[in-house]
Amino acid sequence: MSAFFTAEQIALLSASTVRCDFLVKFEFVTSTLYCWNGNTDLPALDGNTYKPMFGFGNIDGLGLAGAGTASETVTLSLDGLPGQALDILSHALAETADVNQQMVTISLQLFGEDWQPVGLPIPIFRGFMQPPKVTRGAMGEAGGTQSVSVVAENIFFGRARPAYGRNTDRDQQGRYPGDKFFGFVSSLVFKTITYPDF
C-alpha cells in the first residue's frame, strides 16, 4: 500500500482530521467533464481543472465492494437549474446517446490544512453510465428545481451475459457477419414440426 500512496498522503490519512472530497470525471462521447462539489475551480495535480457544483452534487451507493463479482451501482445526481456554470442538466437532456454506456470515474482527493490538493486523485470507482433521468420538483415560492441523476454500473456490468450465444440472428451476425443460419429462428417459435414426417 505504501507504493500506492505517497508519504504525505499516508500522513494525512492517519491524522485525526482528514480533509477530502470526491472528484468526478464524466467521459461523454463528445467531451469530458471534470467536476467536484466545491465553490471554485480546482486545478488538481493530475493536470485537469475540476468545475464546481457548489454543493448540489450527490453520490449514492459508494461503499466497500463485496467479495463477489456482482455488478454494483452508484447514482450520481445534481440538483439545480439550467444555465448554471456546470450545466449537466442541459447536456443530459440534449443527447442521451452522449451519456449512455460511457465511462465515469470517481476519485478521492486529499487536501492539506490550507485546502490545497495533496497528491494525485485516488480512483475509487469506475463504471459505465446508464441513460440519465431528469426530475422536476414542485413549484414553490422559490420556484421549481430540476435534478438529473445518472446510474453507473461498475466494471462487472454485463459480465454475467456471454458476448454472444443466444441463438439469435443478431448474435450470429456479431460472430459471423453475413451468416443466415439463425435468420429464421424467430419464425419457429410457435411452429409445429412433425418428425419423422413420412
Side-chain angles (χ1 to χ4, degrees):
M1 182 177 288
S2 60
F4 185 76
F5 296 106
T6 65
E8 195 174 11
Q9 286 176 320
I10 292 174
L12 288 173
L13 288 168
S14 303
S16 59
T17 301
V18 178
R19 294 170 180 86
C20 60
D21 202 352
F22 294 117
L23 306 182
V24 182
K25 175 183 178 184
F26 295 99
E27 299 178 52
F28 300 123
V29 173
T30 56
S31 63
T32 300
L33 290 180
Y34 302 89
C35 51
W36 75 303
N37 229 4
N39 296 321
T40 61
D41 285 358
L42 176 69
L45 299 178
D46 62 358
N48 300 309
T49 299
Y50 290 79
K51 296 293 184 182
M53 292 190 294
F54 304 102
F56 291 109
N58 293 304
I59 301 174
D60 293 323
L62 275 181
L64 184 63
T69 57
S71 177
E72 298 175 355
T73 62
V74 169
T75 303
L76 301 106
S77 59
L78 176 64
D79 298 329
L81 296 169
Q84 62 191 30
L86 188 61
D87 195 4
I88 297 179
L89 286 170
S90 63
H91 192 87
L93 285 168
E95 195 61 59
T96 299
D98 197 33
V99 178
N100 193 26
Q101 299 304 316
Q102 299 306 306
M103 296 300 296
V104 61
T105 303
I106 302 172
S107 302
L108 186 68
Q109 177 66 61
L110 296 174
F111 295 91
E113 290 184 10
D114 55 355
W115 282 98
Q116 294 302 310
V118 175
L120 293 172
I122 304 162
I124 57 174
F125 178 85
R126 188 161 167 84
F128 298 94
M129 291 182 280
Q130 305 306 304
K133 295 179 181 175
V134 177
T135 57
R136 292 174 177 84
M139 294 293 287
E141 290 181 12
T145 58
Q146 296 181 5
S147 63
V148 62
S149 61
V150 175
V151 174
E153 299 241 8
N154 69 6
I155 58 172
F156 294 109
F157 173 71
R159 296 277 174 99
R161 298 187 301 262
Y164 301 109
R166 297 193 180 97
N167 295 337
T168 64
D169 185 56
R170 182 176 176 184
D171 287 347
Q172 187 69 2
Q173 294 303 317
R175 285 193 248 181
Y176 307 104
D179 189 353
K180 301 187 187 308
F181 187 80
F182 286 108
F184 302 98
V185 169
S186 60
S187 67
L188 300 176
V189 174
F190 297 107
K191 188 170 187 176
T192 301
I193 299 174
T194 305
Y195 181 83
D197 185 10
F198 299 112

